[in-house]
Amino acid sequence: MLLNLHSYFSLRYGTLSLQDLISGMLAGGYDTAVLTDINNSSGSLDFIKQGREAGLNLLAGMEFRDGDKLCFVAIAKNEHGFREINEYRTRLNMENRAVPERAPGFDQVFVIYPFHKIDGFVLRDFEYIGIRPGERTKAQLMERRILDRCVILAPVSFRKSDYTLHRQLRAIDNNLLISQLESQQVATNDEVFIPKAKLMRLFSELPQLLANTNRMLGQCSFGFDFTSVKNKATFTGNRYNDKQLLHKYCMDGFARRYGKNDRIATERIQRELEIIENLRFSSYFLITDDICRYARGRNFHYVGRGSGANSAVAYCLGITDVDPIALNLPFERFLNPKRKSPPDFDVDFSWNERDEMYDYIFNRYQTGHTALMGAMSTFRSRSILRELGKVYGLPKAEIDRLVHEPEHLLNKNEVTNTILSVYNRMADFPNQRTIHASGVLISEEPLTCYSAMDNPPKGLPTMQFDMYVAEDIGFEKFDILSQRGIGHIKDCRSIVRENLGVVIDTDNPKRFFQDPLIAAQLKSANTIGCFYIESPAMRQLLTKLRCDDYLTLVAASSIIRPGVASSGMMGEYIRRHHDPSIVVYPHPVFKEQLEETYGVMVYQEDVMKIANAYGGLDMADADVLRRMMSGKYRSKDHLIEIEDKFFSNCKAKGYDEKVSREIWRQMESFAGYSFNKAHSASFAVESYQSLFLKSYYPLEFMVAVLNNYGGFYNRKVYVNEARIAGGNICLPCVNQSVFNTSIKGKDIYLGFDCILNLEGKLANRIIEQREYAGQYRSLEDFVKRTQAGLEQVILLIRVGALRFIGIGKKQLLWEAHLLMSKHKPVVTSMALFETESRKPILPPLEEDILEDYYDEMELIGFCVTGSLFDLTKSDYRGDIPSKELGQHEGKIVRVVGDFVCEKFVKTKRGDLMKFGTFLDANGYFFDTVHFPQSLAKYPLRGAGIYLVEGKVVVEYGCPSIEVIRCAKMPLKPDPRSE
């Protein structure tokens, strides 16, 4: 009976979740309804699936609107009709067209127009007029022939108590004050559930409408298959050829990875291939392999990671560089017959090469069958208060107070009470559709069989549903990710070849695991610029573990995760790592399975191992259990079934029930925050590749880091790292620099990209003219050839980029003003003999090095020719250099440091504390701890040089300073303003 349900996927309009709609139907006595969200089908399939589980007959459609104007409601007769609706909406989106007044000539779709269009045009067979409850009186006056084309249209958009919230959402959507909303921009307040019996009574005097509505719904059915895999079914065109090709590619790689006579690897590969074929995943592996082959052909560095690294087949294909056999990684963590949700491969590419990978995928695989995964951003905490504050016209200061001091007495008024009354209701509401960070879908059937597609700024078709819906309906997505760490590796290889003439290879990273120089670099935590292991917390952990091998680094990549660290397991792992004799295993199985990690469950796979070896579950059930315990599985009944099986097995083995219960508790508490070992292993492989480059080619590596715009830190830190490694850091120069940072021998020239406010077109023109006609010979020559304006020339002079001329900045600035004040520079053809204008003779002008420092700070962001320490009024640099802190454990010391970064944390009592990171005057790091009491009196206030006094604490060889007090040191005045 209900032809026009809106969920909260009718963004900034509806207020009901899919479950709210189903509950409302059951309470109202309805068994059939159509979800017709506005201009989207995001929730359609999920709604139908949830409805089936509740015993309801749910159907799909869409409400088409042009802005605030309702044009028509489309209802799919069946799956074909649903595809028609999605195709039409997709076409409008891709062509950026408004919804027309009249629906197209649908084949398997009913169309319902609003009542006011009754005289607009002659209705076609599939078209009807919708009569709302409030329009009954007018409808009774219509002719019989018109009533025969009418149906009951009783929209549902919110609960009666949510009408204020609906109005607030409409105001947010239209960027208006709530008082400025016009009637056509909001729904009428009757778009609520009306009990079916009452609705039938309301229309009892219009029996034609009841009959027409029931007849329409009787012609609709939706038998969508949620169990089948929706991905592209085959790679070659048939399953047999897929199987043969996958086997061939796998054997080709097998010889390279394992040699020809590895019996254990052979058995593992054969078992994996059998499971892959039986579950019809050959095509998925081959498509992923195809993507990676293209990347290798383009010389793109990539890293295959995630649970896919649990597959020896993936290792042989070259999708990943993690050997799952060497690491004892179970294939069932990736793929097994009992896994209800599909797996996916995560493949990382460089941030500046991913778009080309997208181009390849979208051109390689059929148009209409390939799309980006959608995602849904939601209203969250502070954003709710800010959005609602704007709707009610609150000044920014009052909104800030409401956000940061919600209990403030001045917040107690009618407006803020209204805002706070809907705060919890609005939390996590969908706000706008967006793009998943990496997911790509490649389907067998057209993707419009599943939803409409948007055309976001990337210009690639994007599904209107998210990864959770995709998983529920049977899609395995391809995760095509990007990161800057891969750019570091690829670019460094090119820079080494250009600067040193050495061709290096970072493939086959196993060889790096045995390299003593890399081991020493890792143990010293000299890892700035290296993927995943450069943050202060990670460098501290490496120091505490004295990490110098691959397996320890894999563990470190997992225990650094917030859940493990906050649970106390990180500290316990470090303690056992230094003294394995203190380990007490709750059962011999723990020693057998977890001796590598001292009995600590570090990885998700550890939960599976214990469930298998102790609880007697097969590995497929163990993986299902892991997913359930981590909250990634919807079926609670299945969890109870596996739990019963676990304890029955334990009882049959004669285990003490208390011990079994404790082990179950540990597994359950750990599974929620554990990390995939294959993921950690993949991260560690990339970390080793970076470490190899940093160890052997430190200058080129730091240039690559700078050219990929850093990592965890800002540019200043990486420039400092290059200087410490022996590089001569040079300011940008119009005769030497290119757009980004470059290196010649040990001279590292910062690029034009580091000069704030320099026009990109001018930067490129400087380089082009230099390549065309040689180096610049004078200021006048530079201006004539580049057409640089006066402001840009002044910028380049102040940053030292025209220092090749050999005269001071002030004199150059005078010359620039005299040269360019009377006319704009124009490009002239190169004369056979260049003549230059007569230069004025100026008296000697005073130069102050401090002016250079302040210019560099203003125009680059930090000092290059000096450091911030050179600007302090005091020459005091502390009692000891940071490298000697470990020798002064327990002592109160004073150190001076240049602020790098900070991290906020809350104590168990909810008080705020901080961890700080600084560079000393020699360019070396030290770390500080600011407990709440100290922090309240002596806060950190961002960038600057700080004098820090505190107690030296050394934990497992890692020193830090527990701050007693600290303060910024005053700087010398800026001579440019005097």
Side-chain angles (χ1 to χ4, degrees):
M1 289 291 292
L2 296 174
L3 305 180
N4 193 200
L5 298 185
H6 296 128
S7 76
Y8 57 19
F9 291 116
S10 290
L11 302 177
R12 301 177 179 182
Y13 190 100
T15 70
L16 300 169
S17 69
L18 301 181
Q19 189 55 54
D20 290 336
L21 290 175
I22 290 170
S23 299
M25 285 182 63
L26 293 170
Y30 294 97
D31 58 7
T32 303
V34 190
L35 181 67
T36 55
D37 276 319
I38 298 170
N39 292 336
N40 80 89
S41 50
S42 301
S44 297
L45 294 180
D46 201 15
F47 183 60
I48 288 167
K49 185 177 184 183
Q50 290 187 42
R52 281 187 193 173
E53 293 168 359
L56 298 175
N57 175 35
L58 300 185
L59 303 168
M62 189 180 296
E63 182 172 295
F64 285 83
R65 287 188 177 230
D66 180 11
D68 293 318
K69 183 173 68 176
L70 169 60
C71 297
F72 54 88
V73 175
I75 297 174
K77 294 182 182 181
N78 46 40
E79 290 92 329
H80 179 76
F82 185 54
R83 175 180 167 184
E84 280 189 88
I85 293 170
N86 289 329
E87 284 178 345
Y88 182 59
R89 182 68 257 176
T90 298
R91 189 159 63 250
L92 293 177
N93 289 341
M94 296 303 168
E95 296 173 4
N96 197 27
R97 287 197 290 128
V99 179
E101 294 284 332
R102 193 79 186 266
F106 289 125
D107 180 38
Q108 297 292 315
V109 177
F110 290 118
V111 170
I112 304 170
Y113 294 102
F115 180 68
H116 66 81
K117 290 194 176 183
I118 198 162
D119 297 322
F121 35 72
V122 177
L123 296 174
R124 293 168 284 186
D125 289 344
F126 60 89
E127 295 177 319
Y128 292 82
I129 295 294
I131 306 298
R132 296 172 62 137
E135 296 165 340
R136 300 187 324 279
T137 304
K138 292 180 181 178
Q140 288 173 0
L141 302 175
M142 295 191 303
E143 300 174 27
R144 173 66 184 251
R145 65 178 181 82
I146 299 176
L147 285 175
D148 284 342
R149 306 296 300 161
C150 294
V151 292
I152 299 170
L153 195 67
V156 177
S157 301
F158 37 77
R159 297 188 184 100
K160 186 170 286 188
S161 59
D162 280 346
Y163 189 58
T164 298
L165 175 57
H166 164 75
R167 286 175 51 80
Q168 292 165 332
L169 290 170
R170 299 306 299 134
I172 291 170
D173 190 50
N174 286 282
N175 196 26
L176 295 171
L177 296 176
I178 198 163
S179 59
Q180 295 174 320
L181 282 172
E182 298 180 8
S183 59
Q184 71 270 19
Q185 293 174 318
V186 296
T188 53
N189 62 7
D190 62 350
E191 290 194 7
V192 297
F193 273 109
I194 301 171
K196 183 178 180 180
K198 180 180 179 181
L199 185 64
M200 293 181 73
R201 285 198 306 273
L202 289 172
F203 282 89
S204 60
E205 295 182 15
L206 292 166
Q208 299 100 314
L209 271 65
L210 284 168
N212 293 342
T213 305
N214 286 327
R215 186 167 57 251
M216 176 185 286
L217 289 174
Q219 295 178 65
C220 299
S221 63
F222 211 88
F224 188 85
D225 178 9
F226 286 94
T227 60
S228 64
V229 174
K230 306 302 187 297
N231 278 52
K232 183 174 172 59
T234 67
F235 179 73
T236 62
N238 66 75
R239 285 186 57 203
Y240 177 78
N241 287 351
D242 278 5
K243 176 183 176 181
Q244 295 297 103
L245 185 61
L246 182 60
H247 183 271
K248 179 186 183 305
Y249 284 168
C250 187
M251 290 303 103
D252 289 346
F254 182 84
R256 179 171 58 89
R257 293 295 203 184
Y258 293 110
K260 295 181 179 180
N261 302 312
D262 190 321
R263 184 179 57 80
I264 293 174
T266 300
E267 291 175 359
R268 168 79 177 244
I269 292 292
Q270 288 174 347
R271 180 169 61 86
E272 286 193 18
L273 286 171
E274 183 179 351
I275 294 173
I276 291 166
E277 173 59 22
N278 289 343
L279 295 178
R280 301 192 174 191
F281 273 92
S282 295
S283 173
Y284 184 75
F285 271 78
L286 287 168
I287 291 172
T288 307
D289 173 68
D290 176 62
I291 292 167
C292 293
R293 282 174 185 266
Y294 176 79
R296 293 196 295 271
R298 295 284 290 115
N299 197 29
F300 289 175
H301 187 80
Y302 66 87
V303 172
R305 59 176 175 85
S307 59
N310 287 69
S311 168
V313 169
Y315 181 56
C316 290
L317 292 175
I319 295 172
T320 82
D321 275 322
V322 173
D323 181 354
I325 297 175
L327 290 173
N328 193 24
L329 300 176
F331 179 60
E332 289 80 4
R333 170 63 182 84
F334 178 64
L335 191 61
N336 68 71
K338 296 181 182 178
R339 181 167 177 161
K340 299 295 184 184
S341 59
D344 54 57
F345 280 114
D346 298 337
V347 187
D348 284 338
F349 295 92
S350 175
W351 63 279
N352 55 7
E353 292 171 348
R354 182 170 69 161
D355 284 348
E356 183 172 333
M357 294 307 304
Y358 278 149
D359 287 343
Y360 173 73
I361 293 167
F362 276 78
N363 290 323
R364 172 73 171 84
Y365 297 96
Q366 196 173 348
T367 300
H369 294 248
T370 309
L372 298 178
M373 176 71 74
M376 197 68 68
S377 68
T378 58
F379 287 105
R380 293 289 179 90
S381 55
R382 293 182 178 183
S383 70
I384 298 174
L385 297 176
R386 292 198 180 280
E387 292 284 6
L388 292 176
K390 286 188 289 184
V391 161
Y392 286 97
L394 294 182
K396 183 179 182 301
E398 290 187 28
I399 295 175
D400 288 343
R401 186 178 64 230
L402 186 60
V403 169
H404 298 295
E405 302 174 79
E407 301 302 320
H408 199 288
L409 287 175
L410 291 176
N411 290 332
K412 310 302 179 185
N413 56 65
E414 185 178 349
V415 171
T416 53
N417 288 343
T418 302
I419 290 172
L420 294 172
S421 70
V422 300
Y423 176 84
N424 290 332
R425 183 85 179 90
M426 193 171 161
D428 293 325
F429 264 35
N431 182 18
Q432 57 188 0
R433 292 189 304 279
T434 182
I435 305 173
H436 184 272
S438 59
V440 175
L441 298 183
I442 303 174
S443 66
E444 180 67 17
E445 300 297 328
L447 284 165
T448 46
C449 292
Y450 314 109
S451 87
M453 288 182 273
D454 289 322
N455 186 26
K458 270 189 174 293
L460 297 173
T462 303
M463 302 304 291
Q464 288 189 333
F465 56 62
D466 62 22
M467 60 180 286
Y468 302 105
V469 173
E471 183 175 299
D472 280 347
I473 66 177
F475 270 110
E476 301 109 30
K477 70 183 188 303
F478 298 84
D479 275 338
I480 309 300
L481 302 109
S482 71
Q483 50 146 295
R484 297 189 182 275
I486 289 175
H488 301 168
I489 294 169
K490 181 190 174 184
D491 288 357
C492 182
R493 293 188 312 221
S494 300
I495 294 166
V496 168
R497 185 173 64 248
E498 292 169 10
N499 192 46
L500 302 177
V502 177
V503 177
I504 55 176
D505 179 16
T506 52
D507 292 340
N508 188 25
K510 272 188 174 180
R511 58 200 164 100
F512 302 147
F513 303 164
Q514 311 304 323
D515 188 308
L517 183 61
I518 297 174
Q521 189 93 356
L522 183 58
K523 189 173 183 178
S524 67
N526 185 4
T527 55
I528 300 300
C530 296
F531 173 74
Y532 203 72
I533 55 173
E534 63 167 335
S535 70
M538 194 65 183
R539 289 186 297 103
Q540 289 169 27
L541 178 57
L542 295 176
T543 302
K544 291 174 184 178
L545 290 171
R546 301 185 194 118
C547 178
D548 62 357
D549 65 89
Y550 176 65
L551 288 179
T552 305
L553 182 57
V554 173
S557 298
S558 183
I559 63 175
I560 193 69
R561 306 285 288 185
V564 185
S566 62
S567 72
M569 297 305 285
M570 182 171 81
E572 186 61 25
Y573 179 90
I574 296 170
R575 195 168 72 91
R576 296 181 184 190
H577 177 73
H578 286 290
D579 186 5
S581 66
I582 64 174
V583 179
V584 177
Y585 297 101
H587 189 275
V589 164
F590 273 69
K591 179 174 175 61
E592 175 190 317
Q593 296 293 327
L594 303 182
E595 188 170 15
E596 177 190 315
T597 55
Y598 317 109
V600 176
M601 282 187 277
V602 170
Y603 312 109
Q604 292 173 351
E605 288 86 348
D606 294 341
V607 176
M608 295 173 63
K609 288 178 183 177
I610 297 303
N612 169 251
Y614 181 86
L617 301 179
D618 63 38
M619 289 301 282
D621 271 342
D623 182 56
V624 172
L625 175 64
R626 174 199 62 78
R627 286 180 62 80
M628 289 174 173
M629 285 179 162
S630 62
K632 296 180 180 178
Y633 207 86
R634 291 188 179 185
S635 173
K636 298 300 180 186
D637 292 339
H638 201 173
L639 177 58
I640 293 169
E641 178 187 328
I642 292 182
E643 182 177 0
D644 289 343
K645 188 186 294 187
F646 176 89
F647 284 108
S648 294
N649 292 343
C650 291
K651 186 175 182 180
K653 292 182 178 185
Y655 295 158
D656 185 318
E657 186 176 353
K658 286 185 178 179
V659 174
S660 297
R661 290 285 171 190
E662 173 58 20
I663 289 172
W664 178 270
R665 186 199 65 76
Q666 288 183 24
M667 289 164 50
E668 198 168 28
S669 64
F670 179 73
Y673 55 72
S674 57
F675 200 39
N676 175 0
K677 185 177 183 180
H679 218 79
S680 293
S682 304
F683 279 2
V685 165
E686 187 178 343
S687 298
Y688 261 93
Q689 290 170 318
S690 295
L691 275 167
F692 160 68
L693 297 171
K694 183 175 174 68
S695 300
Y696 287 92
Y697 308 100
L699 298 183
E700 289 78 9
F701 180 70
M702 295 320 302
V703 170
V705 172
L706 287 166
N707 287 345
N708 283 273
Y709 302 101
F712 186 88
Y713 303 98
N714 61 33
R715 185 183 290 260
K716 175 179 75 173
V717 173
Y718 299 112
V719 168
N720 173 74
E721 195 72 10
R723 181 181 283 116
I724 286 178
N728 175 33
I729 311 301
C730 305
L731 288 164
C733 173
V734 297
N735 274 337
Q736 300 294 336
S737 292
V738 292
F739 187 79
N740 47 26
T741 305
S742 57
I743 183 170
K744 298 174 183 176
K746 292 192 174 184
D747 293 335
I748 295 175
Y749 283 89
L750 298 181
F752 297 124
D753 62 341
C754 78
I755 305 175
L756 303 177
N757 300 319
L758 182 69
E759 295 171 359
K761 288 182 179 178
L762 174 60
N764 289 322
R765 202 180 308 129
I766 292 170
I767 300 163
E768 290 165 5
Q769 276 292 315
R770 194 174 68 214
E771 290 174 350
Y772 172 70
Q775 294 199 340
Y776 301 101
R777 297 182 296 279
S778 65
L779 175 62
E780 188 170 358
D781 176 48
F782 175 79
V783 171
K784 281 182 178 179
R785 288 164 57 186
T786 64
Q787 300 185 78
L790 179 60
E791 285 187 7
Q792 293 287 292
V793 169
I794 290 171
L795 195 68
L796 289 166
I797 290 171
R798 288 179 58 207
V799 86
L802 289 161
R803 62 189 179 278
F804 75 92
I805 296 172
I807 58 177
K809 285 184 185 180
K810 291 183 178 177
Q811 186 173 338
L812 263 180
L813 289 170
W814 270 100
E815 288 189 13
H817 280 281
L818 290 170
L819 175 67
M820 304 177 71
S821 59
K822 295 181 180 179
H823 61 85
K824 284 187 175 182
V826 295
V827 173
T828 58
S829 57
M830 294 296 291
L832 184 61
F833 299 101
E834 287 288 341
T835 58
E836 294 196 357
S837 57
R838 182 177 298 176
K839 296 179 182 178
I841 299 175
L842 297 171
L845 300 172
E846 287 187 11
E847 302 282 349
D848 188 335
I849 191 65
L850 289 181
E851 292 180 329
D852 292 341
Y853 295 161
Y854 275 104
D855 275 341
E856 291 164 20
M857 287 176 63
E858 177 188 341
L859 302 176
I860 295 178
F862 56 92
C863 287
V864 177
T865 53
S867 77
L868 197 56
F869 289 94
D870 296 321
L871 287 171
T872 57
K873 286 183 176 180
S874 169
D875 292 334
Y876 180 66
R877 297 293 177 259
D879 300 337
I880 54 171
S882 63
K883 280 197 166 185
E884 296 178 11
L885 281 174
Q887 303 168 25
H888 296 266
E889 183 175 5
K891 295 180 180 176
I892 305 298
V893 299
R894 287 186 171 190
V895 290
V896 175
D898 185 358
F899 176 83
V900 172
C901 62
E902 63 188 4
K903 179 183 178 181
F904 292 87
V905 294
K906 280 189 176 180
T907 65
K908 289 182 179 179
R909 292 175 51 186
D911 298 322
L912 190 68
M913 63 179 291
K914 281 185 183 180
F915 295 98
T917 300
F918 296 82
L919 289 169
D920 71 7
N922 298 316
Y924 295 103
F925 287 96
F926 66 90
D927 299 297
T928 57
V929 181
H930 304 253
F931 289 110
Q933 190 173 359
S934 163
L935 187 62
K937 289 184 179 179
Y938 304 101
L940 290 175
R941 300 187 185 277
I945 301 292
Y946 286 79
L947 174 59
V948 177
E949 181 180 85
K951 178 182 175 183
V952 178
V953 176
V954 181
E955 186 178 6
Y956 296 109
C958 181
S960 61
I961 300 173
E962 289 184 356
V963 175
I964 298 171
R965 54 182 176 167
C966 68
K968 274 190 182 182
M969 294 177 68
L971 301 181
K972 296 170 184 174
D974 184 348
R976 302 173 306 170
S977 58
E978 293 178 352

